[in-house]
Amino acid sequence: MLLYNSLTRKREEFVPNEPGKVSMYTCGPTVYHFAHIGNLRSYIMEDVLEKYLRYTGLDVTRVMNITDVGHLTSDADTGEDKMLKGAKREKKTVMEIAKFYTDAFFADCEKLNIKRPDVVAPATGCIDSFIEVITSLLDKGYAYEAGGNIYFDTSKLSTYYVFNDFNEDDLAVGVREGVEADGNKRNKADFVLWFTKSKFDDQELKWDSPWGVGYPGWHIECSCISMKHLGEYLDLHCGGIDNAFPHHTNEIAQSEAYVGHKWCNYWFHVHHLNTTGGKMSKSKGEFLTVSLLESKGYDPLVYRLFCLQSHYRKSLVFSYENLDNTVIAYNKIIQKIVPMLDAAKSESVDEAAAQALRKGFCDALDNDLNTSLAVTALYDVLKAKTNAATKLALIAEYDTVLGLDLIAHAEAEKKKKAAPTLAIPDADPALVSEVMALIEERKNAKKAKDFATADRIRNELAARGILLIDTPQGTTFTLES
Ligand code: AMP
Ligand code: ZN
């Protein structure tokens, strides 16, 4: 499989360190609020990558952290802790906020068919390993203490800006964010590994450490959690493109300083989902969540298809108009599958035909995870000149990667179609809606064992020449001629 590697800025053949096995790390959510559908775009595309690697026969172990401490509102180590901000907003403790939004995140993932990683590790559960790695970085001379905090010394590295060739001044976080530089830092790009002093000293969660009571910086958690569960050689690291700098740059700096060799071979970055107004936000404009989409009647899997229709390395603009087009596309796919369900029962799979079609699907995903072409390969199956059994087998197979629950939805649609519908007389719409409302009232009266009301409704309608007919599907009526 060819995969674009942000580290080399090239598409490269993906070759794991150990044949047949893949170690995969994903930056998890900061659990101070619901995930927006932009965050979830990243997780959907990473999920497709994981599932495709598994589809090709690789044994993937995937680890994800949960950021429940240390992620500041600014990249420059100067902002408030996002978790504390969330706790203040909701007048709860940080751990209550973390539990609530971690559960909410995985509930969203389930609705979007995003597989739970093999290991999910909250940062607050790994403080000992952070302290161990920071101690070693201090011993090796890659870190220093200043003003009560421990900083990573980026001047000790031959290359720090691994993901970009830009000018150092443009990237240095203090400059980039327009915030005052931290006077404790020896170099502009240095970053905090451990805080004991910050402008915001009412941090709720603090731990004892050799450098005083404090809390970890954000970047150290991903290095430590990854190395703890996946070892010193990582195959694949994923995240949204905003994480490339400074978060992933800092992860590489501290991990490689710690292990003394190259740490991770492939970096997979998903580009952003934007709104028509620009950057997606949790505080400004409409806060786009999975629940919001559901409340507007969208199936979360339609949003998954919306994401699959674009390449992960292109930014994507969300609009309801585009989502509505995806609803139409999704329903069309389902409608095409419905008649295959019965037809396939008496047929057997034509392996030669399946093999030829399968090639289109694999070629698409082998080419830097081109999910939009993989969806086209699905359409190719729908219109292929082969029998229904072969098509259904391929659809089920592709769906282990695409995760659109196509066959289950088609089964549900088939059941819906099979259910007999109630025939309503072709009459004046105002009269139909009046009678249907009275039929509903009568039904409720019967349910409440208020048979007097039920009979009164029937008799009053009969007196007007409207005769009720009870059927197994419900009650309808006819007009006396
Ligand atoms: P956070 O919860 O802020 O730590 O972000 C969780 C993940 O979502 C990270 O991998 C981010 O890089 C990613 N992310 C943030 N904003 C967007 C966006 N608009 N589109 C896609 N991914 C995003
Ligand atoms: Zn991370």
Side-chain angles (χ1 to χ4, degrees), residues 27 222 247 251:
C27 289
C222 287
H247 183 48
E251 278 188 46

Side-chain angles (χ1 to χ4, degrees), residues 28-30 36 38-39 42-43 71 239-240 242-243 271-273 280:
T30 309
H36 59 49
N39 302 129
S42 287
Y43 295 112
H71 193 172
D242 58 308
N243 280 346
H271 285 241
H272 272 189
L273 179 78
M280 190 146 296

Side-chain angles (χ1 to χ4, degrees), residues 161-217:
Y161 294 104
V162 286
F163 289 114
N164 20 43
D165 302 318
F166 302 120
N167 176 303
E168 187 173 332
D169 277 348
D170 290 345
L171 285 170
V173 283
V175 177
R176 197 163 59 97
E177 302 238 330
V179 293
E180 63 190 272
D182 176 348
N184 293 322
K185 291 186 183 182
R186 291 184 189 161
N187 314 287
K188 266 188 279 191
D190 292 356
F191 54 93
V192 177
L193 297 166
W194 186 269
F195 288 97
T196 68
K197 300 252 177 342
S198 105
K199 273 210 302 211
F200 301 91
D201 55 6
D202 55 350
Q203 180 73 4
E204 198 179 295
L205 298 177
K206 289 184 187 174
W207 294 264
D208 207 5
S209 83
W211 321 288
V213 174
Y215 56 99

Side-chain angles (χ1 to χ4, degrees), residues 5-10 12-17 23 142 157-159 162-163 223 226-227 230-237 248 251-267:
N5 186 354
S6 309
L7 200 58
T8 55
R9 275 157 265 155
K10 277 194 226 118
E12 293 175 345
E13 188 62 38
F14 178 71
V15 185
N17 285 305
S23 54
Y142 281 106
L157 305 170
S158 52
T159 329
V162 286
F163 289 114
S223 293
S226 166
M227 289 191 280
L230 298 168
E232 285 189 12
Y233 294 91
L234 180 65
D235 290 313
L236 182 57
H237 195 306
H248 292 161
E251 278 188 46
I252 294 174
Q254 64 207 3
S255 300
E256 297 195 349
Y258 176 70
V259 295
H261 54 74
K262 187 169 182 191
W263 168 51
C264 175
N265 285 338
Y266 300 89
W267 288 82

Side-chain angles (χ1 to χ4, degrees), residues 8-76:
T8 55
R9 275 157 265 155
K10 277 194 226 118
R11 283 187 315 164
E12 293 175 345
E13 188 62 38
F14 178 71
V15 185
N17 285 305
E18 202 181 322
K21 289 195 167 173
V22 178
S23 54
M24 179 175 181
Y25 184 82
T26 301
C27 289
T30 309
V31 283
Y32 71 111
H33 217 322
F34 292 108
H36 59 49
I37 57 171
N39 302 129
L40 292 160
R41 178 193 189 196
S42 287
Y43 295 112
I44 288 171
M45 302 317 285
E46 293 167 7
D47 181 66
V48 176
L49 175 60
E50 174 187 351
K51 286 178 175 159
Y52 186 60
L53 293 172
R54 289 184 191 275
Y55 173 92
T56 63
L58 293 165
D59 178 10
V60 182
T61 307
R62 179 154 174 215
V63 175
M64 178 193 271
N65 68 307
I66 297 291
T67 300
D68 52 2
V69 68
H71 193 172
L72 306 186
T73 49
S74 151
D75 283 344

